[in-house]
Amino acid sequence: MTRGDVIVTILVEVTGRPADVFELVLDAARAMAPGHRLDEELSPAEAAKLLASMRAEREGILNWLVQGARMGIERREAIAGRATGVVRQGERT
């Protein structure tokens, strides 16, 4: 099992989404981050230990994903607002 496999496993467990969604994300990360360790093979013991530590952080991982989704939504709304000339309260033009 690779580090990337462990990450996909925990993301599937936390979100309930299919693995192929996260495989696409990992593919993008591989392309954007040369020198990554996503493809590093782990021993079964190392993989189990990493997965257990991530499972202990399930709530934090889910919160991190939710925050990221909110930021993405806000960014899209801001871009759409600039394109239409609509500015939300508190935003700068």
Side-chain angles (χ1 to χ4, degrees):
M1 181 176 258
T2 66
R3 284 185 186 281
D5 294 333
V6 172
I7 292 169
V8 168
T9 299
I10 193 64
L11 291 173
V12 167
E13 289 179 10
V14 167
T15 66
R17 305 278 303 194
D20 60 339
V21 170
F22 300 111
E23 291 292 343
L24 293 172
V25 172
L26 280 183
D27 288 344
R30 285 181 183 100
M32 293 171 41
H36 62 77
R37 294 172 43 196
L38 296 171
D39 297 324
E40 179 183 339
E41 280 292 330
L42 302 173
S43 71
E46 289 172 315
K49 182 178 177 181
L50 181 57
L51 192 53
S53 71
M54 288 182 162
R55 284 178 175 145
E57 298 294 332
R58 284 175 66 104
E59 196 171 305
I61 292 168
L62 183 57
N63 286 334
W64 175 71
L65 292 170
V66 169
Q67 288 173 349
R70 285 183 182 150
M71 288 172 51
I73 290 167
E74 290 172 1
R75 183 167 186 261
R76 281 194 302 266
E77 288 175 349
I79 290 168
R82 284 194 296 266
T84 62
V86 175
V87 179
R88 294 187 326 192
Q89 185 177 2
E91 269 188 9
R92 295 182 181 190
T93 56

